[in-house]
């Protein structure tokens, strides 16, 4: 609940059509995946019924891997406005956000 309260403003931004990014970092075995999955589940419940688009990637060392495309190497690039884009990453859309739909995408 504490983590979700911290990221709640991201949900509100997404609800009105803005992009939002959730980033977890830390050493191996510290619970990043558990935290991310719990947070995503709550986010999708709050956005239930709304269309969403998901890009899911991991930064490890100096490489970036697309977790929706068998860990294919992708690239982070900044545009002229310093907005970061993930080049080559798969973006998956859900017409209606549901926890079940999210789990299906992440399988």
């Amino acid at each position: 609940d504490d983590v979700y309260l911290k990221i709640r403003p991201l949900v509100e931004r997404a609800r009105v059509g803005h992009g939002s990014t959730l980033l977890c970092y830390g050493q191996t075995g510290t619970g990043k995946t558990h935290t991310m999955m719990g947070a995503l589940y709550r986010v999708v419940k709050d956005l239930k019924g709304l269309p969403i688009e998901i890009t899911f990637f991991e930064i490890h060392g100096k490489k970036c891997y697309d977790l929706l495309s068998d860990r294919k190497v992708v690239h982070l690039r900044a545009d002229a406005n310093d907005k970061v884009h993930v080049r080559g990453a798969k973006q998956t859309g859900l017409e209606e956000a549901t926890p079940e739909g999210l789990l299906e995408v992440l399988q």
Side-chain angles (χ1 to χ4, degrees):
D1 287 339
D2 291 340
V3 171
Y4 189 70
L5 290 175
K6 296 283 188 191
I7 65 169
R8 179 86 179 146
L10 297 176
V11 176
E12 295 309 316
R13 285 185 49 80
R15 186 182 306 282
V16 296
H18 295 284
S20 294
T21 300
L22 179 58
L23 175 71
C24 290
Y25 65 94
Q27 292 178 302
T28 300
T30 58
K32 296 177 299 295
T33 300
H34 178 78
T35 300
M36 180 71 82
M37 294 308 292
L40 288 175
Y41 181 81
R42 294 276 305 269
V43 166
V44 171
K45 278 181 63 177
D46 273 3
L47 297 176
K48 188 171 183 171
L50 297 174
I52 62 171
E53 293 186 5
I54 301 164
T55 305
F56 204 56
F57 60 93
E58 172 185 21
I59 301 170
H60 185 81
K62 293 185 178 187
K63 292 194 177 184
C64 187
Y65 302 96
D66 187 343
L67 298 179
L68 299 179
S69 291
D70 297 321
R71 297 183 55 80
K72 178 180 91 173
V73 174
V74 294
H75 305 280
L76 299 178
R77 299 288 184 255
D79 63 19
N81 297 316
D82 287 332
K83 181 177 178 183
V84 177
H85 303 271
V86 187
R87 294 278 196 182
K90 180 178 180 179
Q91 188 171 35
T92 300
L94 294 175
E95 289 183 27
E96 293 187 9
T98 64
E100 299 79 19
L102 175 67
L103 289 176
E104 187 176 312
V105 166
L106 298 178
Q107 293 293 330

